[in-house]
Amino acid sequence: MKKKLLTALVANLLFFGMGTVFATTPTTDNDCVTFDGNITFHYRDQHDGNYVDGRPSQTRTAFKSTLKLNTNIRLTDNLSLYSRFSYQHMNKENAAFARDYADKSPSDLNDAAIDAFGVKYVDKNYNAVIGSQVLKLGGGLVYDNGFMGRYSMPYAVNVTKKMGAGDVTAIVAQTNYQTGKENDKFLVLQGDYHLNPATDLGAMIAHVNYGSTTKADFHIPDSNITFFSVYGSKKLTNKLDFSAEYLVGTTSSDNQGFQTNLGYQLDKKNSLLAGYYYVEDQANIFDDNFADMTGAANNNAKGILVAWIHKFDDKTSFMIGDLNYKKVNSNSLSQCVTDDRNRLFTNFSINF
């Protein structure tokens, strides 16, 4: 879509504002190789309680620092190669609950990898990306992969065709699991339409075929599932924005999700965000390394997120937020969420 959904922004907040492989600095005719990226320092204080198995409540803290470095090599005016190097450091071994790397043992405090690479083609009508890449489907409810590491991203062919005031995107993708895990495959078709300067609308259909590993680990009732979603954003005033998405899947139960978000611009440097979401247990595409891929905080959960963001300048920002959710179903199949949670977090980001 021509302007980013607040849904996507809130999802990015939950994954702490990391960039994607598509971010590149402006180039000139002489720029054959360009670099950009960000450094992020994240702290969280997280309380988990009311476990379904009766475990005692626990409060954990974690600090992590993350570097992402994107490289773009221009081959022609339309064709380029991309890659991403990512590095993450955890402050202590028991901070692994805050890790978003799929690579080494959780006991290793440092992780580094080239985790995205491929080819991009761009012209006035088409945008195509082929290779290992970050994907966000629809408004992010069914799949929003902001993770890192060698096994974190799917291999995909991702093609967008511009059509008047909108565009149509087709994606064919397969996960990239470690040896011994059967990969999952999914097909996606989505359309986004810029209705007017204040309104964007979109619709998505995604079909996933789970490998035996993921199906068994998360007790998925069907190997083949299709998801449908509608989403959109509306600029209500010069300072107030609204976005929402509704999703349903073809599983027999626990197959619906929705989220709605408000953003308010206090002034040029300060903004507020508030979001509510409700995502049932099977209402997203699972990933065997990270479980749920929903852009909300978790599947089988309902809750709110509030955040304040301060921009020091175009490159540097600080955020403080609070996430609170409760499990939807104590007897969920996947058992990804078995407790209620409150997380207070801060995020300091430097882009370059």
Side-chain angles (χ1 to χ4, degrees):
M1 301 178 78
K2 293 185 178 180
K3 67 178 182 181
K4 289 184 180 294
L5 291 172
L6 279 175
T7 303
L9 179 56
V10 170
N12 285 337
L13 292 181
L14 293 170
F15 287 112
F16 314 117
M18 304 306 177
T20 74
V21 298
F22 302 105
T24 56
T25 52
T27 62
T28 68
D29 290 340
N30 296 321
D31 289 330
C32 293
V33 181
T34 57
F35 301 90
D36 69 274
N38 57 53
I39 301 172
T40 305
F41 303 97
H42 168 76
Y43 171 80
R44 70 172 67 173
D45 184 291
Q46 181 168 301
H47 178 79
D48 295 276
N50 195 22
Y51 285 95
V52 296
D53 59 6
R55 279 182 291 161
S57 300
Q58 60 176 328
T59 298
R60 295 173 289 178
T61 62
F63 178 83
K64 64 182 176 183
S65 52
T66 304
L67 165 68
K68 292 185 179 181
L69 175 64
N70 304 303
T71 303
N72 194 80
I73 303 174
R74 183 169 61 87
L75 303 178
T76 69
D77 289 342
N78 304 111
L79 192 66
S80 61
L81 303 177
Y82 71 84
S83 66
R84 189 183 77 173
F85 169 79
S86 60
Y87 168 81
Q88 187 170 89
H89 172 73
M90 311 300 298
N91 67 319
K92 53 188 177 181
E93 184 175 334
N94 63 1
F97 74 96
R99 181 190 303 272
D100 29 39
Y101 241 88
D103 201 342
K104 300 177 185 176
S105 165
S107 62
D108 194 328
L109 300 183
N110 299 280
D111 285 291
I114 296 176
D115 55 10
F117 51 87
V119 181
K120 293 188 291 186
Y121 177 85
V122 178
D123 65 21
K124 64 180 181 179
N125 295 313
Y126 287 93
N127 185 333
V129 183
I130 303 173
S132 172
Q133 57 189 278
V134 175
L135 289 178
K136 181 180 75 70
L137 307 184
L141 267 181
V142 71
Y143 190 97
D144 192 351
N145 187 349
F147 293 106
M148 297 167 288
R150 286 185 297 167
Y151 307 110
S152 64
M153 297 184 199
Y155 293 114
V157 177
N158 183 352
V159 180
T160 297
K161 171 71 166 67
K162 297 179 181 178
M163 301 179 67
D167 51 65
V168 175
T169 300
I171 300 171
V172 180
Q174 175 179 290
T175 54
N176 173 33
Y177 294 150
Q178 301 91 323
T179 301
K181 292 185 177 183
E182 184 178 355
N183 285 302
D184 313 315
K185 303 176 179 65
F186 46 98
L187 308 173
V188 183
L189 183 66
Q190 64 187 52
D192 300 288
Y193 186 70
H194 187 59
L195 185 63
N196 57 52
T199 310
D200 287 328
L201 299 172
M204 180 218 68
I205 178 171
H207 179 80
V208 58
N209 175 251
Y210 287 113
S212 58
T213 306
T214 306
K215 187 174 184 297
D217 287 349
F218 298 105
H219 310 286
I220 298 168
D222 304 293
S223 295
N224 294 277
I225 301 173
T226 303
F227 298 93
F228 306 88
S229 86
V230 290
Y231 51 96
S233 64
K234 174 76 173 178
K235 192 169 185 61
L236 301 176
T237 70
N238 288 335
K239 292 188 174 183
L240 184 63
D241 294 276
F242 168 81
S243 73
E245 181 178 19
Y246 172 75
L247 168 80
V248 63
T250 57
T251 54
S252 59
S253 64
D254 299 313
N255 61 357
Q256 298 185 71
F258 71 88
Q259 61 178 342
T260 181
N261 307 287
L262 285 172
Y264 186 75
Q265 193 73 35
L266 295 169
D267 52 42
K268 291 183 179 180
K269 290 184 175 292
N270 298 281
S271 58
L272 300 175
L273 286 172
Y276 175 81
Y277 76 96
Y278 176 97
V279 182
E280 294 179 338
D281 185 54
Q282 299 289 320
N284 68 278
I285 294 176
F286 287 91
D287 181 287
D288 196 69
N289 285 318
F290 295 108
D292 56 277
M293 284 285 110
T294 177
N298 264 312
N299 63 336
N300 190 40
K302 56 182 178 181
I304 60 172
L305 169 73
V306 293
W308 167 68
I309 302 171
H310 176 77
K311 292 181 63 176
F312 296 97
D313 52 42
D314 291 340
K315 301 291 186 180
T316 310
S317 64
F318 174 79
M319 174 178 60
I320 181 169
D322 188 81
L323 161 73
N324 185 285
Y325 71 62
K326 296 183 181 298
K327 55 187 175 296
V328 171
N329 184 353
S330 295
N331 299 310
S332 67
L333 293 175
S334 72
Q335 293 292 293
C336 288
V337 170
T338 61
D339 63 278
D340 302 335
R341 174 171 297 172
N342 183 266
R343 177 189 299 162
L344 176 69
F345 63 90
T346 63
N347 200 58
F348 181 73
S349 297
I350 304 169
N351 297 320
F352 55 86

